[in-house]
Amino acid sequence: MNRRSLVLSALALGFAQGAIAGPQFQEMTEWSRFFTDADAQGSIVVLDARGKSETTHVYNVSRAHQRYSPASTFKIPHSLFALDAGLLRDEFQLIPWDGVKRSAAAWNADQNLRSAMRNSTVWVYERFAKELGDERETAYMHKIGYGNAVATGDKPFWVEGDLAISSFEQIAFLQRLYRNQLPFQVEHQRLVKDVMVNEAGPDWILRAKTGWTGKIGWWVGWVEWPSGPVFFALNIDTPNRLDDLAKRQSITRGVLRSINALSTAP
């Protein structure tokens, strides 16, 4: 075997071993109490990148590998697509309301990127999807390796259709966004991170987005600390529908506080 063949064989072996090994994590069975106390079924992945090393903690490993519809957590990459395609210039550009009265009062007004993210305004992103078209949406998703990267099925495809992503994949996407490593302009990535801010303390910032399909609820994002970020991706079943939505944040906050990754303030 010549030198080139040896190198190729070694690379192939390395890739194969990496594929078999998969993500390294610590299973956190003790986190079951946060789900039990909330009377909820679900999973959470937390990647703690504070300090010089990274540690991934997981509750309900099998579910964390399972793909679900991303629902409104897809507004994070969708905003990047809209900016990259020139549908939006910045966070101040007015997105005119079409006058159709919808169930959420906050949706029944003109929007901008910040309000659309904060209010999870579905019609704004449905408009982006119409302007982009399924082919460009799919190309963008393949470009960033987002879940199964399909725009098929009922509309909106990120809620009612076939698009699906796992908690581990959510974390991988968020890491790349945090580091400005996605294939988009850095200023666009920084802008999307800015409109994701939920709250902040003297030395930390929480950036996150909720999602809900009607059956599955998500909360994904990260907490920035001077020593580094702590990423999280939680999903739960929501059999009680609206009555279950607050559990997304309460469970996640409990988990993060248990590892001193979030302020103890409510």
Side-chain angles (χ1 to χ4, degrees):
M1 183 179 292
N2 59 33
R3 187 173 184 274
R4 182 174 180 275
S5 297
L6 283 169
V7 171
L8 291 174
S9 296
L11 287 171
L13 179 60
F15 288 138
Q17 289 174 336
I20 293 169
Q24 299 298 307
F25 55 81
Q26 294 182 9
E27 191 165 356
M28 304 296 286
T29 55
E30 60 268 36
W31 285 354
S32 63
R33 64 187 175 93
F34 297 107
F35 291 84
T36 301
D37 290 349
D39 189 24
Q41 298 292 321
S43 67
I44 187 168
V45 178
V46 176
L47 192 157
D48 190 342
R50 291 175 292 181
K52 296 180 180 179
S53 61
E54 294 184 356
T55 305
T56 301
H57 307 280
V58 187
Y59 170 71
N60 197 340
V61 175
S62 61
R63 179 169 177 139
H65 280 291
Q66 187 173 340
R67 284 173 168 170
Y68 296 92
S69 168
S72 285
T73 66
F74 185 64
K75 288 183 172 66
I76 303 172
H78 218 176
S79 297
L80 290 167
F81 303 168
L83 288 162
D84 187 72
L87 306 183
L88 281 176
R89 294 185 306 274
D90 52 38
E91 73 271 38
F92 304 111
Q93 180 178 332
L94 186 70
I95 306 168
W97 178 41
D98 58 9
V100 176
K101 289 288 183 74
R102 296 176 173 87
S103 57
W107 296 359
N108 300 326
D110 294 341
Q111 305 284 320
N112 56 35
L113 181 58
R114 192 176 299 279
S115 68
M117 184 71 78
R118 179 180 64 248
N119 300 325
S120 207
T121 311
V122 173
W123 65 259
V124 168
Y125 290 87
E126 289 178 320
R127 188 175 298 179
F128 291 161
K130 184 176 180 180
E131 293 184 53
L132 286 168
D134 290 350
E135 187 174 338
R136 274 206 291 178
E137 293 269 27
T138 302
Y140 272 128
M141 288 188 285
H142 277 292
K143 189 175 181 180
I144 63 172
Y146 189 87
N148 61 359
V150 298
T152 53
D154 293 339
K155 304 299 182 184
F157 65 83
W158 58 92
V159 179
E160 305 292 344
D162 300 324
L163 179 61
I165 189 169
S166 72
S167 295
F168 281 113
E169 290 170 325
Q170 291 267 27
I171 294 290
F173 165 73
L174 293 171
Q175 283 183 281
R176 293 175 69 199
L177 175 58
Y178 169 80
R179 295 170 179 146
N180 299 319
Q181 292 176 344
L182 292 168
F184 300 106
Q185 294 181 39
V186 170
E187 54 264 40
H188 289 166
Q189 295 180 71
R190 288 175 174 162
L191 173 54
V192 170
K193 287 186 286 188
D194 183 54
V195 299
M196 285 175 63
V197 173
N198 279 209
E199 60 186 86
D203 58 352
W204 57 272
I205 301 172
L206 171 62
R207 305 180 195 270
K209 184 70 192 76
T210 56
W212 186 45
T213 68
K215 295 181 179 180
I216 301 292
W218 286 96
W219 200 36
V220 307
W222 67 85
V223 186
E224 293 176 19
W225 291 92
S227 56
V230 180
F231 301 92
F232 60 87
L234 167 132
N235 66 57
I236 59 169
D237 297 333
T238 58
N240 302 306
R241 296 183 63 78
L242 293 172
D243 290 341
D244 285 332
L245 295 189
K247 298 175 182 180
R248 298 172 298 183
Q249 293 198 28
S250 65
I251 294 170
T252 305
R253 288 175 184 276
V255 167
L256 293 175
R257 288 172 185 146
S258 74
I259 58 170
N260 298 314
L262 190 64
S263 167
T264 55

